[in-house]
Amino acid sequence: MVTTHNLGFPRIGARRELKFAQEAFWKGQITEEELQITGTDLRRKHWHSQRKLDRVPVGDFSFYDQVLDMSFTLGNLPERVSETGGSALDQYFRVARGRSGQEPSCCGVQAGEMTKWFDTNYHYIVPEFQQDTRFQLNADRLIEQINEARAQGLIPKPVIIGPVTYLWLGKSKDDSDRLTLLDSLLPVYSELLDLMSNHGIDWVQVDEPALVADLDADWRHAFSLAYHHLKTSRLKLLVTTYFGELRENLQMACELPVAGLHLDAISAPQEVARMVDWLPPHKQLSLGVINGRNIWRTDLGKTLDWLEQVHEKLGDRLWLAPSCSLLHVPVDLNSEEKLDPEIRGWLAFALQKLDELAILATALNQGRNAVRKELAESALATENRKTSGRVHNPSIETRIQAIRPDLGQRQSPYSARITAQQQKLDLPLFPTTTIGSFPQTRDIRQARLQFRKGTLTEAAYRQRIREEVSRCIDEQEILGLDVLVHGEAERNDMVEYFGEQLEGYAFSQFGWVQSYGSRCVKPPILFGDISRPRAMTLEWTRYAQSLTEKPVKGMLTGPVTILNWSFVRDDQPRRDTCLQLALAIREEVLDLEAAGVGIIQIDEAALREGLPLRKSDWSDYLDWAIEAFRIAANGVRDETQIHTHMCYSEFNDIIEAIARMDADVITIETSRSDMELLDAFRGFRYPNDIGPGVYDIHSPNIPDSEQIKSLMVKAAEQIPAERLWVNPDCGLKTRQWEEVIPALKNMVAAARELRERI
Ligand code: GLN
Ligand code: ZN
C-alpha cells in the first residue's frame, strides 16, 4: 500500500478566519484566549478535511509564520524581544510585527526582518543569529498539537524545519559564520526528536528545501554532519525538499542517513527516475505528484502512466503527497459560486488537491478500475481545457510566433532620445514626480465596493473616480510637481485592475493565499490566451491630462509583474504567457502615445522576485522577462519617454539586465538604504535617467527637505545631476493625504533648492 500524506495545509482558513482573529487580537478587540480558540478550531477543521490521508501534518499551523515558530521552538528569539517580558504570544507577535515606541507600556521594539520564502510570494521572519546564540528547546506548541490531532483519531506527522535550512534561512547580526552554530543547534534538535518519540511519534517531516538551492561545500557538508548527528534518534525522519531540482545535491540527499526523502516531482520530474534508482532500498520515497503551487486540476491518468511504473519498483516504499505545502493555494474551490463553470472545471484548490491525491493512491493500491469514474472525470476536464476555445485563440498564437527581435527595439539610442524628449517636455533639472498612486481613501474604496455590489451605478462610480482624479491633479499642481500622475484611484490592485480588463483572466471570490502574517493576496487566474479587447487606462489618463498644462505620466503594470503576481497557465512556458501580456500592454502604450501622452511608466515591481532559485537559471529568465518588457515598452517614438519603477533595493546582480530594458527613466527604492544602492548603477555606468526614492513611503514619518536634499546630494556624487529625478520610493496609496502633502511639499522644495545650488 502506498502511504498518503500532506506537507502542510493553508492555515489562514477558507474565509480568512485566522486573519480576522489576528487583527482583532492586535487591536485588542479579542482576548488571547479567543485567538487561541480560533486557532484550535481551524486546526480541527483542517485535520478533519485531511482525515483520508494516512498521516496528517502537525505543527504546520501558525499564528504568524512557520519559521518564526521554529525560532521559538529552538528558543532563538532576539534579545531585544526576550528582554521585554509579557506572555509568550506577546513576545511572538513582537518579533513578527515589532512594537511602536508610542505604546504606553514600553519602548519600541524593532520587528524581525521579513523576506521571501524561496521563490514563492510567502514571506517569513528571518531568524537572527550571533556568535553567542544559544538554543533551548520549547516544544509545548508542537506537543499540544500532536495531542490535539491524536484526539481526533488521526496519525500525526509533525512538521519541522530542518537544522541546515533553519540556519541557511537566517542572518548573522554580527558577521559571524552562522554555520558554526550547527554544533550547538543539533543537540536541541535531538532533544526535540526524542521528546516527540516519547509522545509516540514514528515519522517526523523535516523540511530541508535548502537542498534545492546553490550550496557551497560547507553547506553541503553541514547536511551530512547534521543527519549523522540526528541518526541516533529513535524516530524516522522524512527529509523533504521542494520548489526545485536537487541537481548536484541529489546524490548527497540520497545518502543522508534518514528513513525517507520527499522529492517535488512537479518541479523536478526528471529527477524521479534517478531517485528511484539511487535511493537505498531501506528508504521510503515520497513523491510530490500534485502541484502545491498552482490551482490547476491534475491530469490523473497522465500522472498514473508514470507513477504506476514507479510503484511497481518501489511497492510499499512509495509515499504520495502534494509537491510542497498547500500553504500556497486557496482552500476550497467549492466556495467559488461565481466562477464560470467551464473554468471552474479545470481548477483544484487545497481540498480538491487532497481528493486527487486520494484517487491516485486508490488507483495504485487497488487498480485504476476502483476509481474509473474519477479518472474519467479528470480526463474529461483535461481534454476540455486542452481544446477549449476560451483558452486558445489562434490569432494570438500567430502573433507570438511572428515576434521578431526588433519588436522590442527603440528607434534611436537613449542619448538621441533624451534630447528629443527634453525638447518636447522642457523639464527643469531634478524633475519631481511620484510613482503613480495617491492615497486610496476609505471613501474611494467604499464607492468601489458599492459599485461591485450594484448599489452604485457605473455612471455614478465613474463620476466619483473622475472627481478623485481631478482632486489629485489639483493637489499636484499646488505642490508644484513637474510630472503629474492621475493617481490610480480606479485601481484596487495594480495587477487585478489589468487582469479584469484582459481576455484570458478569471477571478476567484475566496482564492486567498497568505503572503505574510495576516496579509493575504488573491492572485487572478490567467487561464487562456491574452488579448486586450479595449483600452484599459486611456480614459483616466486623458481626463487627467485635460485638467493640466503639465505632463501627465501614463501608468501601466508591466508584463513580468502581471505574470509573477497571477496564477498562470501550466500548459505553456511562462515565457509565452509573458509575451502575450507584453503584446497587450504594448497596445495600451501605443494607444496612450497616440492620444498625446508623452510619458508612460510601466511598473515592474515583481521583476526581481521572479528570479529562479538557481543562479545558473537566471539568464534564461532575465532574457525573456526583459524581452517582454521591451516589447511592451519600446514601440514608441523617440520623443515619448518611457519610465519604469521597481520597488526594491537589490540591483547589483541584475543591473545589466535592467539596463537592457532601456527605459528612459527608472525610479527605484533607495531612501532607507541611504543611496547605497546607487553604487550598483554607478559601478555599471548605468546609462539612462534614475529617480532614487527620497521619501520612505512605508513609514508615516514626513521627511524634511534637508534630509531629502542631503540624499540627493549623495546621489549626485554618484550619478550626473542632469540624469537624476526626485521622487518617493513607491506609490502613495497606503498613506494619508495629511502625510503625503507635507512630504511632497518638502520634496519639491528640496528639488528647487538643489537647482539653485547647481
Ligand atoms: N504605480 C504603482 C503605485 O504607485 C506602483 C506600485 C508598486 O510598485 N508596487 O502604486
Ligand atoms: Zn514600488
Side-chain angles (χ1 to χ4, degrees):
M1 296 284 268
V2 302
T3 299
T4 56
H5 70 128
N6 184 18
L7 271 48
F9 195 82
R11 53 184 85 114
I12 204 77
R15 289 287 191 277
R16 288 182 292 162
E17 295 89 331
L18 181 59
K19 171 195 175 72
F20 299 119
Q22 283 166 319
E23 288 172 357
F25 176 70
W26 296 334
K27 284 189 205 140
Q29 293 163 346
I30 63 169
T31 62
E32 176 168 340
E33 203 190 348
E34 287 169 299
L35 176 64
Q36 294 287 3
I37 290 173
T38 305
T40 317
D41 284 348
L42 282 170
R43 289 194 293 273
R44 189 181 313 121
K45 213 158 128 191
H46 295 163
W47 283 322
H48 183 73
S49 33
Q50 299 177 85
R51 67 192 176 284
K52 279 196 224 146
L53 299 172
D54 295 317
R55 286 193 157 70
V56 296
V58 166
D60 55 336
F61 179 86
S62 173
F63 275 123
Y64 202 94
D65 165 45
Q66 74 269 15
V67 180
L68 184 59
D69 285 352
M70 200 64 212
S71 289
F72 271 70
T73 303
L74 297 167
N76 178 32
L77 43 164
E79 244 167 60
R80 63 176 186 279
V81 171
S82 50
E83 278 166 357
T84 59
S87 80
L89 197 69
D90 281 342
Q91 296 205 358
Y92 178 83
F93 285 135
R94 223 163 277 154
V95 190
R97 313 176 58 233
R99 178 165 75 179
S100 79
Q102 277 107 42
E103 260 177 64
S105 51
C106 184
C107 38
V109 176
Q110 202 195 346
E113 191 190 324
M114 203 163 54
T115 197
K116 269 164 61 71
W117 177 244
F118 295 85
D119 59 351
T120 72
N121 199 9
Y122 177 80
H123 301 73
Y124 70 93
I125 305 281
V126 179
E128 297 178 22
F129 300 117
Q130 279 170 349
Q131 194 167 13
D132 60 357
T133 296
R134 290 291 164 267
F135 304 97
Q136 192 182 7
L137 185 64
N138 176 359
D140 296 354
R141 175 188 61 94
L142 269 168
I143 300 301
E144 248 170 61
Q145 296 185 16
I146 288 170
N147 292 334
E148 283 175 25
R150 199 170 275 139
Q152 254 175 272
L154 302 167
I155 304 185
K157 178 203 56 179
V159 180
I160 59 175
I161 294 170
V164 184
T165 295
Y166 179 71
L167 287 176
W168 194 80
L169 292 170
K171 242 189 188 171
S172 161
K173 289 278 153 178
D174 58 3
D175 281 335
S176 59
D177 176 7
R178 61 196 193 281
L179 205 43
T180 58
L181 296 173
L182 190 63
D183 282 346
S184 56
L185 183 59
L186 290 173
V188 182
Y189 268 85
S190 293
E191 205 185 323
L192 172 61
L193 296 177
D194 285 343
L195 185 70
M196 290 198 278
S197 161
N198 292 341
H199 279 81
I201 295 298
D202 57 351
W203 279 93
V204 177
Q205 172 184 326
V206 189
D207 285 356
E208 290 284 12
L211 280 166
V212 305
D214 295 324
L215 299 175
D216 66 21
D218 288 346
W219 284 98
R220 287 157 55 96
H221 181 60
F223 269 102
S224 52
L225 212 76
Y227 288 90
H228 275 94
H229 180 103
L230 298 178
K231 198 168 71 170
T232 53
S233 163
R234 288 165 282 157
L235 282 175
K236 294 187 192 133
L237 304 185
L238 178 75
V239 167
T240 49
T241 70
Y242 38 81
F243 300 151
E245 297 165 353
L246 288 151
R247 299 189 190 172
E248 70 284 2
N249 301 329
L250 187 133
Q251 185 171 357
M252 185 256 290
C254 284
E255 287 167 1
L256 291 177
V258 293
L261 216 55
H262 171 88
L263 177 76
D264 175 344
I266 300 293
S267 52
Q270 62 283 31
E271 290 185 344
V272 172
R274 273 166 75 200
M275 199 65 124
V276 170
D277 288 346
W278 286 12
L279 202 67
H282 59 276
K283 292 187 188 175
Q284 320 279 313
L285 178 60
S286 165
L287 290 180
V289 291
I290 306 280
N291 196 331
R293 293 281 294 270
N294 77 19
I295 38 70
W296 304 108
R297 211 165 154 166
T298 310
D299 183 349
L300 296 174
K302 200 169 138 203
T303 305
L304 281 172
D305 289 343
W306 64 265
L307 198 54
E308 280 166 345
Q309 296 169 28
V310 172
H311 183 225
E312 225 161 81
K313 286 194 186 157
L314 294 179
D316 290 353
R317 290 169 58 209
L318 178 63
W319 288 35
L320 289 188
S323 59
C324 58
S325 165
L326 296 176
L327 179 66
H328 312 289
V329 292
V331 179
D332 187 5
L333 184 65
N334 288 327
S335 315
E336 301 296 333
E337 285 164 359
K338 291 194 182 152
L339 211 56
D340 176 286
E342 187 182 1
I343 295 167
R344 221 178 93 144
W346 305 334
L347 304 179
F349 292 178
L351 291 178
Q352 290 70 39
K353 285 173 186 285
L354 293 176
D355 289 342
E356 293 185 326
L357 194 69
I359 297 166
L360 289 176
T362 310
L364 293 182
N365 289 332
Q366 303 171 27
R368 292 198 194 198
N369 252 339
V371 281
R372 207 176 336 140
K373 190 173 129 266
E374 290 83 351
L375 293 181
E377 274 170 19
S378 165
L380 193 68
T382 305
E383 188 55 25
N384 178 313
R385 186 174 157 216
K386 211 180 266 169
T387 54
S388 168
R390 309 198 40 197
V391 174
H392 303 280
N393 179 339
S395 74
I396 291 162
E397 285 163 14
T398 319
R399 283 183 64 195
I400 297 292
Q401 299 301 326
I403 291 179
R404 279 185 312 276
D406 63 351
L407 195 66
Q409 186 68 45
R410 291 288 297 255
Q411 288 166 354
S412 311
Y414 162 81
S415 53
R417 293 183 330 243
I418 199 73
T419 317
Q421 291 162 17
Q422 258 314 343
Q423 253 164 28
K424 184 172 167 208
L425 296 167
D426 193 26
L427 294 170
L429 204 59
F430 296 112
T432 53
T433 190
T434 62
I435 306 303
S437 58
F438 268 82
Q440 281 264 334
T441 58
R442 241 178 79 105
D443 201 47
I444 305 176
R445 277 176 296 164
Q446 219 134 35
R448 183 155 37 247
L449 198 68
Q450 287 170 352
F451 168 50
R452 291 205 162 157
K453 279 189 181 150
T455 51
L456 191 70
T457 64
E458 177 162 356
Y461 172 67
R462 292 193 160 264
Q463 185 49 35
R464 188 60 206 84
I465 298 294
R466 280 168 83 93
E467 283 160 18
E468 199 57 41
V469 171
S470 154
R471 167 191 186 182
C472 188
I473 294 290
D474 285 351
E475 296 288 5
Q476 294 174 83
E477 291 258 24
I478 298 168
L479 283 163
L481 286 155
D482 300 307
V483 172
L484 313 193
V485 295
H486 77 286
E488 303 181 26
E490 79 288 4
R491 296 179 200 177
N492 185 28
D493 174 276
M494 65 187 284
V495 167
E496 191 177 55
Y497 178 77
F498 290 92
E500 275 173 349
Q501 304 191 66
L502 291 169
E503 212 62 69
Y505 259 109
F507 297 86
S508 66
Q509 266 178 290
F510 303 102
W512 297 100
V513 179
Q514 190 176 20
S515 172
Y516 64 88
S518 68
R519 270 288 291 256
C520 299
V521 293
K522 187 152 65 69
I525 299 168
L526 192 165
F527 68 85
D529 286 336
I530 292 293
S531 60
R532 188 197 69 141
R534 66 195 74 81
M536 303 182 282
T537 62
L538 192 59
E539 175 192 344
W540 303 120
T541 317
R542 233 190 202 153
Y543 175 63
Q545 186 65 81
S546 75
L547 302 171
T548 176
E549 297 293 312
K550 294 255 178 88
V552 172
K553 172 163 76 163
M555 197 53 61
L556 306 173
T557 303
V560 188
T561 297
I562 298 184
L563 181 89
N564 285 340
W565 284 347
S566 301
F567 279 125
V568 298
R569 304 168 63 163
D570 60 351
D571 59 349
Q572 69 182 18
R574 289 172 77 82
R575 168 185 177 272
D576 294 1
T577 307
C578 197
L579 291 179
Q580 292 187 1
L581 289 164
L583 289 177
I585 299 295
R586 180 183 176 95
E587 289 173 9
E588 188 74 14
V589 168
L590 295 179
D591 274 357
L592 286 167
E593 181 184 55
V597 179
I599 306 182
I600 300 164
Q601 177 173 315
I602 305 173
D603 292 326
E604 284 294 14
L607 185 113
R608 194 187 161 90
E609 69 178 64
L611 281 173
L613 288 171
R614 301 284 198 148
K615 268 235 154 105
S616 54
D617 298 337
W618 282 22
S619 71
D620 179 54
Y621 163 76
L622 287 170
D623 281 353
W624 60 252
I626 302 307
E627 185 194 11
F629 179 87
R630 289 170 58 101
I631 288 172
N634 291 352
V636 295
R637 293 190 302 267
D638 281 351
E639 64 266 32
T640 300
Q641 188 166 73
I642 295 290
H643 289 215
T644 189
H645 164 70
M646 293 177 193
C647 31
Y648 36 79
S649 47
E650 285 168 73
F651 285 97
N652 271 314
D653 43 7
I654 55 167
I655 187 77
E656 172 274 335
I658 304 272
R660 265 192 285 147
M661 292 164 72
D662 202 17
D664 298 304
V665 183
I666 182 170
T667 55
I668 53 179
E669 173 174 323
T670 36
S671 67
R672 274 182 300 181
S673 72
D674 210 23
M675 297 288 144
E676 262 169 37
L677 111 93
L678 285 179
D679 289 352
F681 286 83
R682 184 193 47 184
F684 180 75
R685 299 183 182 282
Y686 181 81
N688 305 6
D689 281 16
I690 306 178
V694 288
Y695 161 19
D696 175 10
I697 61 92
H698 303 286
S699 151
N701 297 342
I702 293 158
D704 61 41
S705 67
E706 283 309 313
Q707 222 173 317
I708 294 173
K709 235 174 21 188
S710 85
L711 282 173
M712 285 310 297
V713 167
K714 256 192 179 163
E717 283 163 12
Q718 315 206 42
I719 311 279
E722 58 280 6
R723 299 214 335 258
L724 285 171
W725 287 63
V726 182
N727 47 263
D729 269 342
C730 193
L732 304 166
K733 72 173 174 206
T734 56
R735 300 259 64 94
Q736 312 283 319
W737 277 105
E738 300 77 63
E739 298 158 348
V740 162
I741 297 280
L744 292 179
K745 205 181 256 173
N746 294 346
M747 191 182 90
V748 171
R752 287 189 178 145
E753 286 165 39
L754 283 165
R755 281 168 207 157
E756 271 160 32
R757 236 209 255 183
I758 289 186

